[in-house]
Amino acid sequence: DVGIGTATPITLLDVYHATHSQVTISSPGNQDSSLSLIEQSVSAPFGSASVYGFQWKYDGGDNKLYLSSGVDTNVVNRLTVQRDDGNVGIGGVTAPGSEVDIEGSHTGTNTGAPYGTGSTHINLKNTSDTDGNLVGVLFEGAVSSAYMGGMFMEMENHSSFYSRLHFATRNASSF
């Protein structure tokens, strides 16, 4: 075990500082820096045969942070964060054009569950099983939080499993 800042490391690499621990991984300009969290049966880098796991990579050439998963040589980008504007891409989006950009497709053979072939979805879950609970997306205006809109799915009668979809706007006093 190796200790940096400690004489008693408790893992293979233990970094300690009394006020602020920081590990820096750096490369010269326009190069990549990465941290791989992998399981392997051979001594090989992320993206190689018999290597499985995840990699955080900062790409200095395009100024983006990527989280990728890898199974053997099949490496798939799962999350992208652009350095200059902070835009986030999820599901294979490598050039997010908005604050959050989600892309995906369901390619399973069972087109009836849950959303059909070619669908992309976000799962919002409310685990309470009482009537009248809401799950929704709220859109808040930049000028004032008093003026908002949203989409809400409400469980009207939980025992019968039927719901209503609400589209709502809000003024200063209520929805």
Side-chain angles (χ1 to χ4, degrees), residues 126-137:
N126 182 336
T127 59
S128 175
D129 63 356
T130 58
D131 294 342
N133 284 314
L134 299 175
V135 173
V137 178

Side-chain angles (χ1 to χ4, degrees), residues 112-158:
Y115 304 102
T117 301
S119 65
T120 299
H121 60 278
I122 298 172
N123 185 20
L124 303 173
K125 185 175 184 179
N126 182 336
T127 59
S128 175
D129 63 356
T130 58
D131 294 342
N133 284 314
L134 299 175
V135 173
V137 178
L138 181 65
F139 304 97
E140 186 173 339
V143 176
S144 169
S145 63
Y147 298 95
M148 296 183 276
M151 297 180 293
F152 306 93
M153 178 66 79
E154 179 181 6
M155 291 300 289
E156 290 290 329
N157 182 337
H158 189 269

Side-chain angles (χ1 to χ4, degrees), residues 34-67:
S34 62
L35 173 65
S36 299
L37 304 169
I38 59 176
E39 54 182 295
Q40 60 186 12
S41 59
V42 297
S43 181
F46 181 78
S48 299
S50 300
V51 178
Y52 311 91
F54 289 88
Q55 181 181 65
W56 282 107
K57 179 177 83 171
Y58 174 71
D59 188 322
D62 64 8
N63 299 321
K64 295 177 185 173
L65 175 68
Y66 296 101
L67 174 63

Side-chain angles (χ1 to χ4, degrees), residues 73-88:
T73 59
N74 183 26
V75 175
V76 179
N77 179 57
R78 303 296 182 184
L79 178 77
T80 301
V81 180
Q82 295 182 158
R83 183 195 70 188
D84 296 336
D85 59 15
N87 289 353
V88 175

